[in-house]
């Protein structure tokens, strides 16, 4: 999750959010959704073709704040 938070905080400091704060929903959840969609289409063998299936494992514990954006992204999108 650190890469998503760091990117969004950097964007916020550059002024990409027009002075507003970064929110878990929609800013971080959208970043997670976009990343999953982008990575799921990357070729994984020498054929260079898009995979037919992408398996995503999300480890979640209800008290672990760092996974919240992943779970929300999954629930809101798929």
């Amino acid at each position: 999750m650190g890469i998503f938070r760091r990117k969004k905080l950097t964007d916020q400091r550059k002024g990409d959010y027009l002075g507003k704060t970064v929110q878990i929903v929609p800013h971080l959840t959208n970043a997670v959704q976009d990343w999953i969609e982008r990575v799921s289409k990357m070729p994984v063998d020498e054929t260079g073709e898009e995979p037919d299936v992408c398996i995503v494992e999300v480890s979640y514990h209800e008290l672990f704040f760092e996974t919240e954006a992943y779970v929300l992204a999954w629930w809101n999108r798929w």
Side-chain angles (χ1 to χ4, degrees), residues 29 33 36 58 60 62 67-78:
T29 55
Q33 292 168 354
I36 291 172
V58 177
Y60 176 71
E62 62 193 31
T67 59
E68 182 180 18
Y70 286 106
V71 175
L72 288 172
W74 195 261
W75 285 338
N76 291 333
R77 183 65 156 250
W78 295 282

Side-chain angles (χ1 to χ4, degrees), residues 50-68:
E50 185 177 307
D52 294 328
V53 175
C54 176
I55 298 173
V56 177
E57 178 182 354
V58 177
S59 178
Y60 176 71
H61 186 278
E62 62 193 31
L63 300 177
F64 192 49
F65 177 74
E66 294 295 319
T67 59
E68 182 180 18

Side-chain angles (χ1 to χ4, degrees), residues 18-66:
L18 303 174
K20 297 178 183 172
T21 57
V22 174
Q23 303 293 316
I24 289 178
V25 177
H27 302 124
L28 287 176
T29 55
N30 287 349
V32 171
Q33 292 168 354
D34 294 343
W35 180 82
I36 291 172
E37 287 187 0
R38 181 177 52 82
V39 171
S40 70
K41 296 177 183 177
M42 289 181 164
V44 293
D45 59 16
E46 63 280 346
T47 64
E49 294 180 4
E50 185 177 307
D52 294 328
V53 175
C54 176
I55 298 173
V56 177
E57 178 182 354
V58 177
S59 178
Y60 176 71
H61 186 278
E62 62 193 31
L63 300 177
F64 192 49
F65 177 74
E66 294 295 319

Side-chain angles (χ1 to χ4, degrees), residues 5-20:
R5 288 182 194 270
R6 187 176 17 222
K7 169 81 171 89
K8 292 300 159 187
L9 289 174
T10 301
D11 292 348
Q12 178 187 25
R13 290 181 182 129
K14 288 189 314 189
D16 291 353
Y17 295 102
L18 303 174
K20 297 178 183 172

